[in-house]
Amino acid sequence: MSAFLPSNPDEHQRLLVDQIKDGALSRMVLMGIEGGDSATRAATSERLAKAMRADGAFASVVNGDAASRELDQHYLMQSRYLLSPRVTAERFSAEGLRGAIQGSINALGGSAGLLLKAIFPQDPTGELPALIERMTNGRMPSSQDGVWTSASGDIALLVAMTAAPGTDTDAQEQVLARIRSAFDAAREGADVRLLMSGTPVFSVDARRTIRAEIERLSLVGGLAILTIMLAFYRSARNVVIGLIPVLTGIVVAVVAVSLGFGTVHAITVGFGTTLLGETLDYSIYYLVQSGNNANWRREYWPTIRLGVATSICGFAALLFSSFPGLAQLGVYSIAGLLTAAAVTRFVLPVLPARPVPDSSIHWLGGKMAGVSLQVRRLKWLAALLAVASLAIVLVNHDRLWAKGLSGLNPAPLNLQKLDERLRREAGAPDLSHMLVVSAPTADQALQAGEQVEASLAPLVQSGTIARIDNPAHFLPSTAAQQSRRSALPDSAELSDRLRQAVAALPVKADRFQPFVEDVQAAKAAAPITLQTLKGTSFEFLLQSLLLHRDSGWAVLMPVALPEGAAKAQAARSAIEAALGHAEPRQQAYFLDMDRQATEMFGQYLNEALVFSVAGVVGVVLLLALALRQPARIARVLMPLVGAVVIVMAAHVLAGTALTLLHLVGLLLIVAVGSNYALFFDQSFGPASALTQGALQRGLSRTQAAALASLALANVSTMIGFGILAWSQVPVLHAIGATVGPGALLALLLAMAWSGAREGRTPEVAA
Amino acid sequence: MQQLAKHPGGRVNFTETKTLSVLDQPVVSSGELIYSPPDRLEKNTLKPVPESLVIRGNDLTVVRDGVKRQLRLPQYPEVLAFVEALRGTLVGNRSLLEQHYALALSGTERDWRLVLTPLDDRMKRWVKQIKVQGSDKGLSTVETLQADGDKSVIAITPDAR
């Protein structure tokens, strides 16, 4: 969905955008193996992990198997004196050691004693259990038959990080295919199934679904429209000629977008082509109305031209959007519309179209005139409906629009739920609240993170914050490692202090020879680096929490707030206050992802709304210039306003919050509907009102043609867009559910409120 | 066994003495055991460091130093075997005990002795034998001999309260 991420975010938003686009989370694939028995799932998990580890497409794969567990334990055991924040000169003094050893002896008497006693001589100060406690903190997945499982034990879990960036959807698609085929080999015919989720799965799935849905629905819609055209024109040649403006429009639109933006989002082409369905109307108007060319240019072309101009005004609103996706849609639509209109005006008249049979025109025109008269009897009802809808929209104006990203998430709900479950079970970091610390180098960022954590430590102690995670827990800064190293005494000194420490304890100092050796090894050990973490399950946490960005490095420190809204709010304020006192040079801030996303999208939605209002003002000015009479302007505008507010009110009543794509849909209603309203104004304005008498005397060919062309254009629009309303993809559904009904409403309202008699303009009354 | 099966839930005091080769003196802790049939067992250590261990069905929760740790027993077969040794003896559930141990019962109703020898290899790595002693009033000691020669003796006395 990167097409709908803003292109000029501020610093906080940039991090959010980076996270969504390129962050480690965008490369993380969560896998679950279900079905079969526990041993089968475990064996499959091991074989799958082995195959994936041998594949260069994956940066890391963890499944909690013996190999990675051993690496984890080995790493923690080896590096415990550089990793543990408890390693200080005081703790390694004789008195400090006495306290620490007494604590360990007490622990030996406790329920975990059986596990602890084996490492007691080597780790009498209990650094390893303390580290395990801090790192896992109850978040490590459960384990069964030697691999990670869900808490209930019925799904084996794996987490992989792809080598390819999250934005490269093609690469991600291939990676997912490799996982599937590796799984098929790994299950060795057993009846187990693979569940996959994570951002790569979402983006690949979204692209495939949107493409497939657009292709399928456009095909169905297109065939239906072509069949109707063929039935009406009774000429295959006319059908082909009718498609020329649409096709040239699409080609020019694609070229214009790629010239303007460098790349064309797949989604732009998908949506844009649907939007250009409107251009089919132009050729319909031309083919149906042009009994003779000269007449058409004089009588009809100015109306179409005005319709094109109002549509462009509407779409121009999109051009200025900060979302590249919307800006592209704007360019695409405008270029397409202009081209199609120009082709209709200058190319179609020189092509050998067959005249549409009078019988077709009079039959459809007559039907439409009948419908029109029926509808006009309901003009007050229509007015009432529009006013009621306006009231509904005004009353609910603050909950009309969807907040945050959710409205734009193209993933189906079941996939979103699966993702949430796997993420929780696999202990993936929850980044909804976090502290962000930036610095020019990774080491500086880690060090700054340690300082920030230290300044917030009182809040953790007091329980104001439930927990802070920090990549420096796995990879301490050089400075922290150095200070811990220098806190460790040398062999002779340590042995001496140990003798003093255990004088009053039921243990002999000699027992701790392994401890003395380990401390010596730690003093001499090479510093911990990213390389040291290779292959451990901490590596993937580190990749999620230590980010390389254009401007340097950022450390993300997920913060778990206490449960309950009031406590969470108190924690937020306390964090903000504590950060305010932190060293000013530190680039640290607290990020509430949900609030940030909501604010950011709220801001961009507002921007889009402002541009849309500007577009609408443009349309009104344009009509005012062209029509000049207030009554006529009202007559053209009222059906558009009516259609838009009724569609909005229907969404309110259905409980559907509107998104940016609904906004695009509403703009389309204005674009398409303006043609209808203009034609009604031109053909059946006050001067030539459509009355029962006129209908009985027989419609003129001009009027019949106008009505017939409107009917055809409206049916093709309703089919083309309305069919998208059946799509399961929320973004397609949004367009379909607005434009389909909106186009029909615009036509019906234009009919209902077309002037019946001189001097009566119900619109003004409404 | 049948007599035990009739034994209702209740509260007793315990003193646990662990004799470990790494230490020159045994470590002693004491507290109370609370058993609520059929499957809830609570071991509250009060001295020297408070710790609460609650087993309920398949869930084990330990709270020590204000930190809560939870684990699902089926995922840790050796811990489960331990737990079943206690629970199985308390309710006198012979078939439950036989899932994990070879049983040898001796003595009289008033002074009986039950020796549990683990069947599972994983369990054998930790525990050689569990010896349970009791009378018609219930359990009196649970002695665990660990594979490395260390041992733990839990002496049970009726709740004075």
Side-chain angles (χ1 to χ4, degrees):
Chain A
M1 265 281 111
S2 57
F4 292 102
L5 293 173
S7 58
N8 56 347
D10 69 20
E11 176 55 25
H12 295 198
Q13 292 170 354
R14 190 179 304 283
L15 188 89
L16 184 67
V17 172
D18 282 0
Q19 270 294 297
I20 296 170
K21 284 167 81 167
D22 294 314
L25 289 182
S26 74
R27 299 191 285 126
M28 193 189 285
V29 183
L30 299 144
M31 287 159 282
I33 299 172
E34 63 169 9
D37 59 18
S38 167
T40 313
R41 291 192 295 270
T44 312
S45 166
E46 272 170 26
R47 285 191 293 264
L48 177 59
K50 190 165 176 245
M52 287 170 67
R53 283 182 187 129
D55 185 336
F58 302 96
S60 63
V61 181
V62 273
N63 67 338
D65 62 0
S68 61
R69 216 167 41 232
E70 241 160 62
L71 274 173
D72 287 1
Q73 280 165 8
H74 180 77
Y75 169 68
L76 292 182
M77 193 66 189
Q78 280 292 301
S79 312
R80 65 189 188 277
Y81 296 113
L82 297 182
L83 286 172
S84 173
R86 304 197 302 184
V87 174
T88 58
E90 294 77 59
R91 192 172 175 82
F92 277 79
S93 67
E95 185 49 31
L97 286 168
R98 196 199 64 77
I101 294 170
Q102 178 66 60
S104 291
I105 290 175
N106 287 340
L108 286 177
S111 58
L114 195 57
L115 294 168
L116 295 175
K117 71 178 183 187
I119 56 162
F120 177 65
Q122 206 176 353
D123 185 26
T125 59
E127 297 314 326
L128 186 67
L131 276 179
I132 292 175
E133 191 66 45
R134 182 167 77 144
M135 304 230 163
T136 56
N137 211 336
R139 286 183 306 124
M140 274 299 183
S142 307
S143 184
Q144 199 163 317
D145 284 303
V147 297
W148 281 353
T149 63
S150 59
S152 54
D154 53 2
I155 298 179
L157 296 172
L158 300 92
V159 179
M161 199 76 88
T162 68
T167 37
D168 188 346
T169 314
D170 288 327
Q172 296 293 0
E173 190 162 21
Q174 284 172 20
V175 165
L176 296 184
R178 294 169 93 104
I179 295 178
R180 282 195 192 92
S181 70
F183 173 77
D184 273 336
R187 73 191 177 97
E188 293 182 349
D191 182 24
V192 286
R193 291 171 302 281
L194 177 68
L195 305 171
M196 279 202 285
S197 101
T199 313
V201 180
F202 282 171
S203 44
V204 168
D205 184 75
R207 187 176 69 167
R208 194 185 43 229
T209 318
I210 289 177
R211 267 191 193 161
E213 291 268 280
I214 285 187
E215 276 167 19
R216 186 170 63 88
L217 297 174
S218 306
L219 187 71
V220 173
L223 282 178
I225 292 168
L226 288 184
T227 310
I228 292 170
M229 298 295 138
L230 196 60
F232 189 78
Y233 295 153
R234 300 200 200 137
S235 152
R237 189 199 287 170
N238 278 11
V239 172
V240 172
I241 289 176
L243 287 176
I244 290 173
V246 184
L247 297 177
T248 46
I250 290 173
V251 171
V252 172
V254 170
V255 171
V257 171
S258 58
L259 283 180
F261 292 85
T263 57
V264 186
H265 288 299
I267 204 159
T268 310
V269 180
F271 282 139
T273 303
T274 324
L275 306 195
L276 285 190
E278 189 202 340
T279 57
L280 189 61
D281 295 2
Y282 300 157
S283 65
I284 292 175
Y285 296 143
Y286 166 76
L287 288 169
V288 177
Q289 296 162 355
S290 62
N292 96 37
N293 283 348
N295 270 350
W296 182 74
R297 277 187 201 172
R298 207 180 56 241
E299 288 177 14
Y300 292 96
W301 173 245
T303 310
I304 296 180
R305 195 176 52 198
L306 188 55
V308 173
T310 55
S311 299
I312 287 172
C313 248
F315 285 124
L318 299 177
L319 281 183
F320 303 101
S321 172
S322 301
F323 291 87
L326 287 192
Q328 283 201 3
L329 272 185
V331 170
Y332 192 96
S333 313
I334 290 174
L337 283 182
L338 280 176
T339 309
V343 169
T344 306
R345 165 67 180 78
F346 297 105
V347 179
L348 292 201
V350 300
L351 295 177
R354 286 176 196 278
V356 177
D358 276 0
S359 56
S360 288
I361 286 175
H362 278 284
W363 175 79
L364 188 57
K367 288 260 179 227
M368 281 290 285
V371 170
S372 186
L373 286 175
Q374 295 290 331
V375 169
R376 221 166 50 208
R377 295 206 181 103
L378 304 174
K379 65 188 170 195
W380 292 109
L381 191 65
L384 195 66
L385 184 65
V387 171
S389 297
L390 186 62
I392 290 173
V393 169
L394 290 180
V395 167
N396 294 288
H397 71 276
D398 53 347
R399 11 180 237 111
L400 267 182
W401 301 94
K403 308 249 182 298
L405 263 171
S406 56
L408 287 175
N409 193 339
L413 208 57
N414 56 0
L415 197 53
Q416 292 183 33
K417 282 206 178 114
L418 174 70
D419 187 63
E420 204 182 295
R421 169 165 184 210
L422 289 183
R423 213 167 271 283
R424 193 183 56 241
E425 304 258 31
D430 175 4
L431 294 180
S432 46
H433 301 98
M434 59 187 172
L435 293 156
V436 183
V437 184
S438 309
T441 70
D443 193 47
Q444 285 166 339
L446 286 166
Q447 196 182 344
E450 284 163 347
Q451 286 163 1
V452 169
E453 189 184 351
S455 68
L456 294 178
L459 296 180
V460 181
Q461 237 131 42
S462 67
T464 313
I465 306 175
R467 189 178 66 239
I468 297 182
D469 286 320
N470 187 343
H473 294 174
F474 323 111
L475 177 61
S477 70
T478 315
Q481 292 187 40
Q482 191 47 48
S483 108
R484 285 165 197 164
R485 200 191 302 273
S486 56
L488 297 171
D490 65 29
S491 278
E493 183 62 38
L494 180 60
S495 303
D496 203 41
R497 290 181 194 174
L498 272 172
R499 260 188 297 282
Q500 297 171 43
V502 301
L505 297 175
V507 62
K508 290 189 181 66
D510 301 348
R511 285 222 175 268
F512 299 130
Q513 195 48 39
F515 170 56
V516 176
E517 284 164 17
D518 276 9
V519 170
Q520 259 359 88
K523 247 183 123 52
I528 306 169
T529 62
L530 264 175
Q531 205 51 42
T532 328
L533 284 158
K534 197 102 192 100
T536 67
S537 53
F538 310 119
E539 187 188 13
F540 97 90
L541 279 171
L542 196 70
Q543 284 172 327
S544 337
L545 300 180
L546 180 65
L547 307 180
H548 190 196
R549 306 175 57 208
D550 296 341
S551 52
W553 290 76
V555 160
L556 309 185
M557 296 156 61
V559 177
L561 302 184
E563 303 204 352
K567 281 189 177 176
Q569 191 47 49
R572 281 192 194 97
S573 322
I575 293 170
E576 308 256 345
L579 284 181
H581 295 305
E583 210 179 326
R585 274 175 297 148
Q586 277 164 8
Q587 269 274 8
Y589 58 88
F590 179 61
L591 190 61
D592 181 333
M593 285 296 248
D594 289 340
R595 197 171 60 182
Q596 187 68 43
T598 307
E599 268 172 24
M600 179 172 90
F601 282 87
Q603 195 178 324
Y604 288 95
L605 182 65
N606 279 342
E607 179 208 81
L609 284 171
V610 167
F611 287 134
S612 305
V613 169
V616 169
V617 170
V619 170
V620 174
L621 287 178
L622 202 63
L623 291 175
L625 272 176
L627 303 174
R628 292 180 186 277
Q629 301 163 15
R632 286 186 76 193
I633 298 167
R635 200 192 313 284
V636 172
L637 279 178
M638 292 303 295
L640 306 183
V641 174
V644 167
V645 293
I646 292 172
V647 167
M648 286 172 94
H651 278 85
V652 170
L653 294 180
T656 312
L658 301 174
T659 64
L660 275 172
L661 289 154
H662 288 95
L663 181 63
V664 174
L666 296 177
L667 286 173
L668 260 163
I669 297 178
V670 173
V672 178
S674 61
N675 292 331
Y676 305 156
L678 284 168
F679 267 115
F680 257 88
D681 173 68
Q682 190 217 33
S683 305
F684 310 105
S688 53
L690 184 62
T691 59
Q692 194 65 44
L695 188 56
Q696 274 159 6
R697 283 193 296 278
L699 291 167
S700 70
R701 191 187 189 282
T702 315
Q703 287 185 325
L707 283 172
S709 65
L710 282 180
L712 266 191
N714 188 247
V715 164
S716 73
T717 303
M718 279 202 306
I719 293 175
F721 286 102
I723 204 162
L724 294 181
W726 306 112
S727 171
Q728 296 300 311
V729 181
V731 288
L732 293 181
H733 175 83
I735 295 271
T738 43
V739 182
L744 181 61
L745 277 169
L747 181 62
L748 292 178
L749 293 180
M751 286 175 171
W753 297 336
S754 62
R757 269 167 251 136
E758 299 263 14
R760 276 295 293 273
T761 45
E763 305 85 344
V764 176
Chain B
M1 293 297 277
Q2 277 162 7
Q3 213 169 33
L4 278 171
K6 283 181 234 143
H7 193 267
R11 178 196 301 261
V12 292
N13 293 325
F14 77 88
T15 305
E16 181 170 16
T17 309
K18 284 187 179 176
T19 313
L20 309 175
S21 65
V22 289
L23 297 180
D24 298 341
Q25 289 168 20
V27 273
V28 181
S29 55
S30 60
E32 53 183 19
L33 280 171
I34 303 166
Y35 177 63
S36 339
D39 62 0
R40 186 184 158 97
L41 183 62
E42 200 171 321
K43 184 186 176 196
N44 289 325
T45 307
L46 304 170
K47 281 189 266 186
V49 181
E51 179 188 277
S52 130
L53 184 149
V54 178
I55 299 154
R56 194 177 178 180
N58 278 330
D59 293 304
L60 183 148
T61 311
V62 182
V63 182
R64 190 185 172 93
D65 301 331
V67 184
K68 188 169 160 185
R69 301 165 185 86
Q70 276 178 306
L71 51 96
R72 301 266 304 158
L73 288 172
Q75 295 175 9
Y76 300 88
E78 52 273 56
V79 184
L80 178 67
F82 252 130
V83 169
E84 299 301 28
L86 274 177
R87 274 204 297 223
T89 315
L90 282 167
V91 286
N93 185 339
R94 190 181 193 116
S95 63
L96 182 68
L97 289 172
E98 282 176 339
Q99 283 174 22
H100 302 279
Y101 303 96
L103 306 183
L105 184 64
S106 60
T108 63
E109 278 189 15
R110 297 192 147 197
D111 179 18
W112 53 268
R113 194 179 162 86
L114 179 63
V115 179
L116 309 171
T117 312
L119 299 172
D120 179 50
D121 282 342
R122 278 174 81 170
M123 181 71 176
K124 278 187 204 163
R125 282 203 315 235
W126 299 96
V127 172
K128 211 187 304 177
Q129 235 169 30
I130 301 175
K131 295 176 184 167
V132 188
Q133 265 182 294
S135 66
D136 49 350
K137 306 254 180 350
L139 297 184
S140 58
T141 59
V142 179
E143 185 178 347
T144 308
L145 299 175
Q146 292 169 11
D148 58 5
D150 290 350
K151 72 173 181 180
S152 134
V153 179
I154 300 176
I156 291 165
T157 50
D159 186 20
R161 279 182 285 177

